[in-house]
Amino acid sequence: MLIEEGIENAVYAALIAVAPASVGVFQHVPSNRGPDYIVIGKIDAENLGSKGEVDARGQFEIACFHEGPARSGLWALMRIAFNALHDQLLTADGVHLGRCHWAASASDHDPEAETDNVRYLGLMIFEISAEPAE
């Protein structure tokens, strides 16, 4: 299993376990899906191990989308992701994962949203250590 695949599977499972039914959690957003939802975005892995060994540091993005008159709905989505992932031991078949840590986040409104409400976007970056299961 690829490190990135294991990270994605573990993150998806952690988010699905805590997200309310009204909030979609996706690896790929279905067409015509409106907010509110959380998406697993870009996933990177870097090998820090010595020659012939894999000891990786993974980094992944979580994107939260909310549509409404205030940013408070976005904060609620970002809190769901933060609580599900930060300082948690995630698990996935085929990979050993360390504790997940929040690294950074940002939020903004989408000026190109075709809606009467304001569409908000929150991006979060997390880091996690990983190695293939033996």
Side-chain angles (χ1 to χ4, degrees), residues 5-6 8 14 16-17 19 29-30 34 36-37 41 44 49 53 55-56 59 70 78 88 98 103-105 124 128:
E5 180 183 10
E8 181 177 46
I16 284 292
V29 182
D36 291 352
Y37 58 88
D44 292 318
E53 294 182 11
D55 183 13
Q59 189 176 72
M78 293 175 77
Q88 300 299 314
S105 59
M124 306 175 79
I128 193 166

Side-chain angles (χ1 to χ4, degrees), residues 15 18 20 23 36-38 62-66 71-86 102 104-108 120-126:
L15 290 170
V18 299
V23 175
D36 291 352
Y37 58 88
I38 299 171
I62 298 295
C64 300
F65 294 87
H66 169 71
R71 202 180 296 238
S72 60
L74 177 65
W75 300 143
L77 293 175
M78 293 175 77
R79 196 167 23 265
I80 288 168
F82 181 87
N83 291 339
L85 301 170
H86 177 68
W102 169 82
S105 59
S107 66
D108 200 357
Y120 293 98
L121 165 64
L123 293 175
M124 306 175 79
I125 298 172
F126 292 87

Side-chain angles (χ1 to χ4, degrees), residues 29-112:
V29 182
S31 61
N32 300 322
R33 167 64 191 205
D36 291 352
Y37 58 88
I38 299 171
V39 179
I40 301 168
K42 182 179 177 182
I43 303 170
D44 292 318
E46 175 184 9
N47 187 9
L48 304 175
S50 59
K51 187 174 182 176
E53 294 182 11
V54 175
D55 183 13
R57 177 179 60 219
Q59 189 176 72
F60 61 92
E61 295 177 353
I62 298 295
C64 300
F65 294 87
H66 169 71
E67 187 176 296
R71 202 180 296 238
S72 60
L74 177 65
W75 300 143
L77 293 175
M78 293 175 77
R79 196 167 23 265
I80 288 168
F82 181 87
N83 291 339
L85 301 170
H86 177 68
D87 205 28
Q88 300 299 314
L89 266 174
L90 305 183
T91 60
D93 291 338
V95 65
H96 294 294
L97 299 168
R99 286 200 181 275
C100 183
H101 295 284
W102 169 82
S105 59
S107 66
D108 200 357
H109 68 281
D110 180 358
E112 297 180 22

